[in-house]
Structure formats: structure tokens, C-alpha cells
Amino acid sequence: MGPAVPIIELVLDRQDVVWKMFGSNSMVRVTKKSVDVWCLGFVDGGIDGPSIMIGGLQLEDNLLQFDLQSQKLGFSSSILSKGTNCADYEFPTRKV
């Protein structure tokens, strides 16, 4: 689950819709010469952009389900807590 840091909880459109990010999806280890630190792995969107950017680190080992018909996105929190990861899945292919 990554380094032992507080869980980040993003509350979305309702109080019961929460995306939990554990250390493996929020922290990046930087080692350079004699430096060995952990940094918060989010990108600042700047003044005119979004507050933060959600990227590959945050999405890693999370399952996403796109429901195009109802225009909804379903998501899991990290599946590492279930003792698995995305590399263990064999997703069915579907012809479009």
C-alpha cells in the first residue's frame, strides 16, 4: 500500500462518494545522491487550471468503469488492499 502516510480522501459529488488514495497512489520516492525523500505526487494546476492534476500515479491499481450511456464514471480505491493489482487481471476484449 506504499509508505505509511495518512489516507487522502477525495469527496466527489456526494458525501458517500469518496475516492481513497493510499501512500502507493499519493507519494513518490526521490533518491538522488545522498537524498532519499518521499514527495506528494500531485501536480499543481496553476492559477488558471484545476487545483491539482490526477495522473497515472493516482490511477495505478484502481479500477475504472466508464458508462458512456448514462455518462457516469465508476471507480474503486486501490485494489492493493485486496491483495491483488491490475497486472493480475485478464480483462475481456470487446469489439466496438
Side-chain angles (χ1 to χ4, degrees):
M1 300 292 299
V5 296
I7 298 168
I8 295 174
E9 294 185 350
L10 300 179
V11 180
L12 301 175
D13 64 332
R14 295 190 325 251
Q15 286 295 109
D16 63 333
V17 180
V18 179
W19 184 2
K20 293 183 180 183
M21 291 187 194
F22 299 90
S24 61
N25 295 106
S26 65
M27 303 298 291
V28 177
R29 189 173 191 175
V30 178
T31 55
K32 197 173 196 179
K33 296 184 181 177
S34 63
V35 176
D36 187 359
V37 297
W38 287 90
C39 299
L40 191 59
F42 290 88
V43 175
D44 184 343
I47 295 171
D48 295 329
S51 299
I52 61 167
M53 303 283 188
I54 302 295
L57 177 69
Q58 289 79 33
L59 295 174
E60 191 172 302
D61 292 314
N62 285 266
L63 299 178
L64 302 177
Q65 179 181 16
F66 297 90
D67 185 340
L68 300 178
Q69 188 171 11
S70 65
Q71 297 183 335
K72 291 185 179 182
L73 171 66
F75 60 91
S76 70
S77 291
S78 177
I79 59 174
L80 295 175
S81 64
K82 307 292 184 201
T84 189
N85 61 52
C86 287
D88 293 339
Y89 280 80
E90 289 188 33
F91 295 100
T93 56
R94 184 174 146 189
K95 294 181 182 177
V96 179

